[in-house]
Amino acid sequence: MRKYLLSSLLFFSMFSLFAQELEVEAKVGNPSKLINDGFIDLEVTGGTPPYTYKWDNQDTPLSSQRSEGLAEGIANTVIISDAAGTSITRSYTIKAEAITEHFNGTFIPLVASIEKVLFWDLFSAIGIYDPVSYADLKNVPVTGWTASVEDRFILKQWLKPEGTSVDEGEEIAIVSSDKGEDITVVANAAGTLRYLVDEGKVIYNSENKKHVIEQGAHNLAQIEYEEDIPLLHPNGDPVTKNIPFIVVWLLFGALFFTLRMGFINIKGFRHSLDLARGKYDDPNAPGQVTHFQALATAVSGTVGLGNIAGVAVAISLGGAGATFWMILAGLLGMSSKFVECTLGVKYRFINSEGRVFGGPMNYLRYGLEKRNKKGLGKVLAAMFAVLAIGASFGGGNMFQANQSFEQLEGMFPFLVGNGFWFGVVTALLVGVVIIGGISSIAKVTGKIVPVMAGVYILGCLTVIGINIENIGPAFTAIIDGAFSPSALKGGIIGVLIVGFQRAAFSNEAGVGSAAIAHSAAKTNHPPSEGFVALLEPFIDTVVVCTLTALVLIFTGKHEVVGIAGAQLTSDAFGSVISWFPYVLAAAVFLFAFSTMISWSYYGMRAWTYLFGKSIKSEIVYKVLFLVFVVVGASVSLGAVLDFSDMMILAMSFPNIIGLYIMSGEVKKDLRDYVKKLKAGELYKSPEKAKAS
């Protein structure tokens, strides 16, 4: 009898455990040849409903049994849990079919590996700070408010006394609208209620420019949490605000060179303008292009989509305050450009035909060899050249063709589906320019860059001028956002990093690319080209990026949620000048075009460093470059573009190591140059000298 009871108990226990097991059936789909459009649909039985789904795709909510927008060719993992705490892990791979899907799936792990290095957070790794973003309060907005709403909202009545504890979903206030019925506002979190507006007062008025620009003007209350709550992605992962290693690397270098060169970014600004306008142009000096042409070529390689789309992303993530830190980073980056471009000219090689070969490959190899570091110099130079070639094909080529086509496709419907032919036409235009070499590139960029930059700046100034009464609230929003941002923006560290990151990615100070263009300048004095080069971050970041940010802030578009990138910038212009988005679309293409022709030269010089300086070697590179223009415009390559774009940032590792080692040499050359300048020993253009 006893044995029977024990057997029965064991049987029922096993049956009970079996009944609680979770069973999962999955439908895995790849609906088209487009990348990142796969889906996984789950059907779960057993256990104790309801179920939660912890996907590794951060955009998929915990409550969703379906995950969409997934990459093909890589494993997607989900942890399914029931109400009793039983969980099961499943992994599914969406089969890649198109060649682009195979490429994308192959490069995703590579991108992740590079991100671990470039975006590694040293400070959180050693426990200096917690990268997780926490919220100490929740803003309560007017229900139904959007950044584009045209209405006036008045706080009609508070339903709960200030300082009382409220639960999520509890009614707390009644708001009246000029264009509708009264609105009942409910608490969007549990905590202590704090008033931001008194009864009978206006909460938000779309006709009040201060309200339009001021961040959070549409909030009527705040709810303080009893304890700080981590911000979460839809899938439950905590939101983090990291301090990327690559940004620290670039900015620490910029700060070091600013101090080492005695604030050359400020003291040398006036002289750099004189050089750029040709006051010291010596027609008999060695080189192929003038100071201004070298500057235009280098600026065309940095001023591009990042100034239009990237700034909008930065403002969306970091708010108006990111603008302040972006400007500061741009000013510091001017010193990095001075050092690298001075060395670019000093260690250049000019062959018997007058063609110039220069850039970080030269000064890393021969500059370090002079310091008995021949082995290190060869390794750093080769590493830089490989990265520069990859960056020219990717970030400087395919990425530009791809993104400019997407922007134009949205504005001009006849382009839809014609990416291949757009790529062919663009490749022909690029080919006409780059076949002629640096002289041809310099002539084209010398004309395109001033025109397109002038049109864009004029458009920005027009928008700002029309909204000039917003200047006070706009700069208040920038300063307040820079030093007292909300937790939702990641606090001061989060906003600072967003601003610094945008500047570093945009002006490429410390990357070394500009030194290749500037090495072709006609000059007998290497520091003179360093002075010219320091104008680049000023033009790119302090002027162009800042104007884009001001357009977004002056028009109130920095408060728009759900739109980012070039579309947000286009909407900001369109809100003031209805036809300007078409001009902006043309500017996007010209920005991308000029970036491509500049990067073709950067990549070609890296190519000839590795494979020889013959004309044949250059032609092979140029043909490959033009093929990649067509590829970039024809297909969406997702992680491939991300991978190649990151190679631009990776170029800064070997480059800045060399700059640190040779900074003393640059300092000495600078002192000698300044002495000659003060003594009047430098060549002056007779025409420019008379004009001044």
Side-chain angles (χ1 to χ4, degrees):
M1 185 68 177
R2 188 175 179 183
K3 288 182 179 180
Y4 174 76
L5 289 172
L6 288 172
S7 299
S8 300
L9 182 62
L10 180 62
F11 173 80
F12 284 114
S13 297
M14 291 179 66
F15 179 82
S16 177
L17 287 171
F18 179 79
Q20 291 177 1
E21 286 186 1
L22 296 171
E23 297 290 337
V24 184
E25 289 187 13
K27 181 181 179 182
V28 179
N30 183 0
S32 75
K33 292 183 179 181
L34 297 175
I35 62 170
N36 300 330
D37 70 342
F39 70 87
I40 301 170
D41 216 337
L42 303 180
E43 185 175 333
V44 182
T45 56
T48 308
Y51 310 109
T52 58
Y53 307 85
K54 178 70 170 63
W55 298 89
D56 53 7
N57 176 20
Q58 292 184 328
D59 294 328
T60 305
L62 288 166
S63 59
S64 178
Q65 64 189 48
R66 179 184 173 95
S67 186
E68 300 175 321
L70 304 178
E72 302 82 3
I74 64 169
N76 296 274
T77 304
V78 57
I79 302 172
I80 306 154
S81 304
D82 70 357
T86 304
S87 63
I88 188 171
T89 302
R90 291 287 184 265
S91 185
Y92 305 96
T93 300
I94 299 163
K95 186 179 179 181
E97 297 174 358
I99 185 67
T100 51
E101 293 177 341
H102 283 284
F103 270 123
N104 188 54
T106 301
F107 274 85
I108 283 176
L110 292 175
V111 171
S113 299
I114 294 178
E115 282 184 335
K116 286 180 180 178
V117 177
L118 295 180
F119 297 98
W120 175 57
D121 189 344
L122 170 65
F123 300 102
S124 66
I126 60 180
I128 291 179
Y129 85 110
D130 182 1
V132 176
S133 295
Y134 292 91
D136 54 356
L137 55 84
K138 183 85 168 181
N139 288 316
V140 183
V142 174
T143 306
W145 178 91
T146 65
S148 58
V149 71
E150 293 184 3
D151 204 344
R152 185 177 68 146
F153 302 97
I154 297 174
L155 197 290
K156 186 174 182 179
Q157 181 185 356
W158 284 110
L159 302 178
K160 289 287 182 180
E162 185 173 19
T164 59
S165 180
V166 296
D167 295 323
E168 186 173 358
E170 193 172 353
E171 296 181 353
I172 60 172
I174 297 176
V175 174
S176 65
S177 163
D178 283 357
K179 294 187 177 181
E181 299 178 354
D182 288 352
I183 303 167
T184 301
V185 179
V186 299
N188 51 7
T192 304
L193 180 64
R194 301 294 180 199
Y195 293 169
L196 294 179
V197 182
D198 294 329
E199 285 186 356
K201 299 294 185 182
V202 175
I203 304 169
Y204 180 89
N205 183 0
S206 59
E207 295 182 0
N208 185 328
K209 298 300 183 183
K210 184 177 180 181
H211 287 182
V212 173
I213 292 174
E214 183 184 345
Q215 193 164 300
H218 56 289
N219 297 317
L220 57 109
Q222 291 178 336
I223 296 176
E224 295 179 357
Y225 299 130
E226 293 182 2
E227 57 183 33
D228 291 352
I229 297 176
L231 299 174
L232 303 176
H233 290 286
N235 77 332
D237 286 345
V239 174
T240 57
K241 294 290 184 181
N242 296 315
I243 303 177
F245 174 69
I246 187 66
V247 176
V248 175
W249 179 251
L250 288 166
L251 282 167
F252 184 80
L255 181 60
F256 174 83
F257 299 130
T258 297
L259 297 174
R260 189 81 172 89
M261 301 300 142
F263 293 93
I264 191 67
N265 51 345
I266 298 171
K267 293 180 180 179
F269 190 79
R270 182 175 178 180
H271 182 58
S272 67
L273 292 174
D274 288 338
L275 284 161
R277 65 188 183 90
K279 186 175 181 179
Y280 296 89
D281 280 356
D282 183 352
N284 299 315
Q288 290 181 275
V289 297
T290 65
H291 287 305
F292 177 77
Q293 289 175 329
L295 175 65
T297 300
V299 168
S300 69
T302 58
V303 174
L305 294 171
N307 301 78
I308 297 173
V311 173
V313 172
I315 298 299
S316 297
L317 294 175
T323 308
F324 176 87
W325 301 112
M326 190 169 60
I327 294 171
L328 180 61
L331 292 171
L332 292 174
M334 294 165 70
S335 302
S336 298
K337 288 275 187 173
F338 172 84
V339 175
E340 61 190 9
C341 292
T342 296
L343 290 170
V345 173
K346 185 172 184 178
Y347 287 94
R348 67 185 176 181
F349 168 72
I350 303 177
N351 69 6
S352 57
E353 299 171 357
R355 291 190 297 140
V356 178
F357 298 85
M361 299 82 66
N362 286 38
Y363 62 70
L364 287 173
R365 180 172 179 179
Y366 302 111
L368 294 181
E369 181 179 325
K370 197 165 74 173
R371 286 164 181 72
N372 298 317
K373 294 180 174 62
K374 184 176 181 180
L376 176 63
K378 281 187 173 182
V379 170
L380 292 179
M383 184 189 304
F384 181 91
V386 170
L387 291 170
I389 292 170
S392 72
F393 286 148
N397 180 345
M398 285 195 297
F399 182 80
Q400 303 297 324
N402 184 276
Q403 296 300 300
S404 61
F405 174 68
E406 282 193 10
Q407 178 69 11
L408 290 172
E409 185 183 37
M411 296 297 298
F412 304 102
F414 69 88
L415 286 174
V416 175
N418 292 310
F420 174 81
W421 294 111
F422 174 85
V424 169
V425 172
T426 304
L428 289 173
L429 292 173
V430 171
V432 168
V433 177
I434 70 175
I435 294 300
I438 184 60
S439 297
S440 176
I441 292 170
K443 287 177 182 176
V444 173
T445 55
K447 292 180 174 63
I448 288 180
V449 171
V451 171
M452 70 181 183
V455 169
Y456 186 72
I457 290 171
L458 184 61
C460 291
L461 293 175
T462 301
V463 172
I464 292 169
I466 291 173
N467 294 277
I468 194 65
E469 70 273 17
N470 300 348
I471 189 166
F475 280 97
T476 299
I478 291 172
I479 300 301
D480 288 348
F483 295 100
S484 56
S486 70
L488 291 173
K489 298 297 182 185
I492 190 168
I493 294 295
V495 175
L496 180 148
I497 291 302
V498 167
F500 278 5
Q501 188 168 306
R502 179 65 261 145
F505 289 12
S506 179
N507 61 47
E508 296 173 18
V511 168
S513 53
I516 301 174
H518 284 281
S519 64
K522 290 183 176 182
T523 182
N524 291 301
H525 309 284
S528 69
E529 201 54 31
F531 277 101
V532 175
L534 65 79
L535 288 172
E536 286 172 42
F538 183 83
I539 296 169
D540 178 274
T541 306
V542 180
V543 177
V544 181
C545 284
T546 301
L547 284 173
T548 301
L550 290 177
V551 165
L552 293 167
I553 297 165
F554 269 65
T555 56
K557 294 297 181 181
H558 64 300
E559 288 278 28
V560 173
V561 177
I563 303 176
Q567 185 58 51
L568 184 59
T569 307
S570 181
D571 288 353
F573 278 106
S575 67
V576 178
I577 310 170
S578 61
W579 48 265
F580 199 81
Y582 292 96
V583 177
L584 188 64
V588 164
F589 175 74
L590 289 175
F591 278 139
F593 177 74
S594 63
T595 298
M596 282 188 277
I597 61 177
S598 295
W599 268 96
S600 72
Y601 182 69
Y602 299 162
M604 186 178 67
R605 282 294 160 258
W607 179 277
T608 54
Y609 175 80
L610 293 176
F611 302 109
K613 298 179 174 64
S614 67
I615 297 293
K616 183 179 179 180
S617 176
E618 290 186 1
I619 291 174
V620 170
Y621 171 82
K622 289 174 181 177
V623 170
L624 283 173
F625 189 86
L626 295 177
V627 169
F628 278 110
V629 173
V630 180
V631 173
S634 302
V635 296
S636 295
L637 290 172
V640 180
L641 297 178
D642 293 337
F643 173 82
S644 52
D645 203 31
M646 286 182 181
M647 296 184 83
I648 295 176
L649 295 177
M651 289 161 62
S652 67
F653 286 127
N655 185 51
I656 288 182
I657 290 172
L659 298 185
Y660 280 137
I661 296 172
M662 290 181 275
S663 61
E665 178 181 346
V666 176
K667 177 71 172 177
K668 180 180 179 299
D669 291 344
L670 174 60
R671 278 198 302 264
D672 294 342
Y673 180 83
V674 172
K675 284 181 182 178
K676 291 179 180 179
L677 176 64
K678 290 180 177 178
E681 297 174 7
L682 298 179
Y683 175 88
K684 279 189 179 183
S685 169
E687 293 180 5
K688 298 291 181 180
K690 289 179 181 178
S692 60

